Amino acid sequence: MLKKRIIKIVIAFGIVETILSGCSKQETHHQGNETGTPKTATVKTSSKQEHSNFLWNKDKAAALDSFMKSWGNTMGQQYQSYFPGNNTDYYGLAFPKELGQHSIAVNGNTNVKVAWSNNGRGNADYNVVAIYCDSVTAKPMEAHLYFFTIHRGKPVVLVTMTTNGNTLYFHETKNTALQKGFAKIMSNKKEHVVVHRTNKDTTLSLTSQQLGTLVGLYKAPDWFKGGLKGGAMWYGNSQNTPDIGSAFQGFDYITANGDPTSYLYYKQDGGNVVIKYVDPTNSQGVANAPIRTETIPLKRLINDYYNTPQEKQEVDGYANELKPEADFLSQTRGS
């Protein structure tokens, strides 16, 4: 009798345990469906949405690095990539680490904010996604610093060759191959961007006025265009002009005929253009201002300003507006 009761109790406990176990499993499974799975799905969806909003990523960075090697070779320059933890030494400036610590002007506007961004998003006027510089291999005072940026949702390449002063003056690159290459990478287009090396740039014959126009647009576009508009922009050669210092002998020049800072001297040296000018930036007066010398590949000037039919028409139009310095000297002697 006692044995039967024990058996019944054991069976009863077994049934209860089975029921409880079944309830427990059912409850766990139910919670997994309502709370676990939807939460996981929500996180994944949010992550995908977040990444889909990124304008820049590792794949695009790798594509830009490959493009810059090709483009740099075409320009006769060697560029290195810089990013957080690997900063430039651009005349002592470390970017991107020191972004925000220095005054940066873009197209003459000093009221801009420039900041690094890993994904192209940010609150800066120009969100920098990549930095390239050739300071390691460039000749003294000839280094280029490029910021690849997102400006109001659009890809913009900024460049500077500033070497002194408290402000770095950037401008949007005029090199159409570089700008288009960055834009294609940004838009995720699959076509491979190729920069072709041609002999057109080195065989092209330019007049002194055309070359002076390219130099003016490169160094001081506002000053140059303003002088033309006012009918006060002249061109000449130092050998035919009195009172030109020995440092400028053999150079052509464009001038607004003011103090020494109103002259830009230039001459072609093989595939390069040598530019000289008086720079009073850090001096106490024009008389004590140093003479700066800059060398730039001719093909870069051509690629930047004399590449398309529209650009050629614009440059040739400016060149035709330049007046010979001999006319100015003749007028001043006769007055």
Side-chain angles (χ1 to χ4, degrees):
M1 190 72 175
L2 181 59
K3 183 182 290 186
K4 289 182 179 180
R5 288 183 179 180
I6 292 173
I7 292 173
K8 288 181 179 180
I9 292 173
V10 170
I11 293 173
F13 273 114
I15 294 173
V16 172
E17 182 179 3
T18 302
I19 293 173
L20 291 176
S21 176
C23 290
S24 176
K25 289 180 181 178
Q26 183 179 1
E27 182 179 0
T28 302
H29 180 67
H30 180 69
Q31 287 178 346
N33 282 336
E34 288 192 0
T35 60
T37 304
K39 284 184 179 180
T40 303
T42 301
V43 170
K44 288 182 179 179
T45 302
S46 175
S47 176
K48 288 181 179 179
Q49 289 175 347
E50 181 182 1
H51 285 283
S52 67
N53 289 329
F54 288 176
L55 299 175
W56 193 251
N57 54 42
K58 293 181 178 179
D59 291 338
K60 292 182 180 182
L64 179 60
D65 194 60
S66 177
F67 171 78
M68 285 301 293
K69 290 178 181 177
S70 173
W71 181 81
N73 288 336
T74 301
M75 300 300 293
Q77 300 157 357
Q78 297 180 15
Y79 287 90
Q80 295 187 20
S81 173
Y82 297 92
F83 42 85
N86 180 36
N87 296 290
T88 65
D89 182 6
Y90 179 73
Y91 302 112
L93 302 179
F95 294 119
K97 179 181 179 180
E98 295 179 3
L99 284 173
Q101 300 180 25
H102 302 280
S103 175
I104 293 178
V106 177
N107 297 331
N109 181 14
T110 57
N111 189 28
V112 296
K113 181 181 179 182
V114 180
W116 179 264
S117 173
N118 288 321
N119 56 31
R121 298 290 183 183
N123 298 322
D125 299 300
Y126 292 87
N127 296 298
V128 181
V129 297
I131 294 176
Y132 281 83
C133 186
D134 63 347
S135 58
V136 174
T137 56
K139 295 180 181 179
M141 310 304 288
E142 294 182 18
H144 307 81
L145 177 63
Y146 284 97
F147 284 177
F148 291 81
T149 75
I150 310 300
H151 175 57
R152 298 177 181 174
K154 296 181 179 180
V156 175
V157 182
L158 303 178
V159 59
T160 186
M161 292 184 70
T162 303
T163 58
N164 51 45
N166 297 322
T167 301
L168 265 69
Y169 289 90
F170 281 83
H171 62 269
E172 295 183 17
T173 182
K174 300 297 183 181
N175 189 294
T176 55
L178 182 60
Q179 179 59 45
K180 288 180 180 178
F182 180 47
K184 286 182 179 180
I185 292 170
M186 273 295 305
S187 64
N188 237 352
K189 290 185 178 180
K190 299 301 182 181
E191 61 264 30
H192 181 59
V193 181
V194 179
V195 182
H196 296 283
R197 184 188 297 271
T198 68
N199 294 324
K200 178 182 67 174
D201 294 346
T202 56
T203 59
L204 184 63
S205 178
L206 296 174
T207 66
S208 177
Q209 298 98 302
Q210 288 173 320
L211 187 55
T213 297
L214 296 179
V215 170
L217 293 175
Y218 169 68
K219 289 300 297 180
D222 293 338
W223 167 80
F224 178 72
K225 292 178 182 179
L228 287 177
K229 186 175 181 180
M233 189 59 65
W234 313 77
Y235 76 96
N237 182 276
S238 59
Q239 294 179 345
N240 302 323
T241 305
D243 303 325
I244 294 292
S246 59
F248 305 110
Q249 288 300 317
F251 282 75
D252 291 340
Y253 61 85
I254 53 175
T255 179
N257 279 312
D259 61 39
T261 62
S262 67
Y263 286 75
L264 270 177
Y265 299 88
Y266 57 91
K267 72 174 180 179
Q268 186 174 344
D269 182 14
N272 294 321
V273 178
V274 182
I275 304 171
K276 287 189 176 185
Y277 56 96
V278 176
D279 181 15
T281 305
N282 292 327
S283 62
Q284 297 182 353
V286 174
N288 298 320
I291 297 172
R292 304 292 184 191
T293 301
E294 185 176 330
T295 302
I296 183 171
L298 173 60
K299 58 188 173 184
R300 178 179 176 181
L301 290 177
I302 292 173
N303 285 340
D304 284 0
Y305 305 104
Y306 204 66
N307 196 28
T308 67
Q310 294 82 1
E311 290 172 342
K312 291 179 180 179
Q313 183 178 6
E314 180 183 19
V315 168
D316 291 344
Y318 290 151
N320 290 333
E321 292 182 43
L322 284 171
K323 302 176 182 180
E325 178 75 340
D327 290 354
F328 176 81
L329 295 175
S330 177
Q331 294 173 11
T332 55
R333 290 192 188 105
S335 61

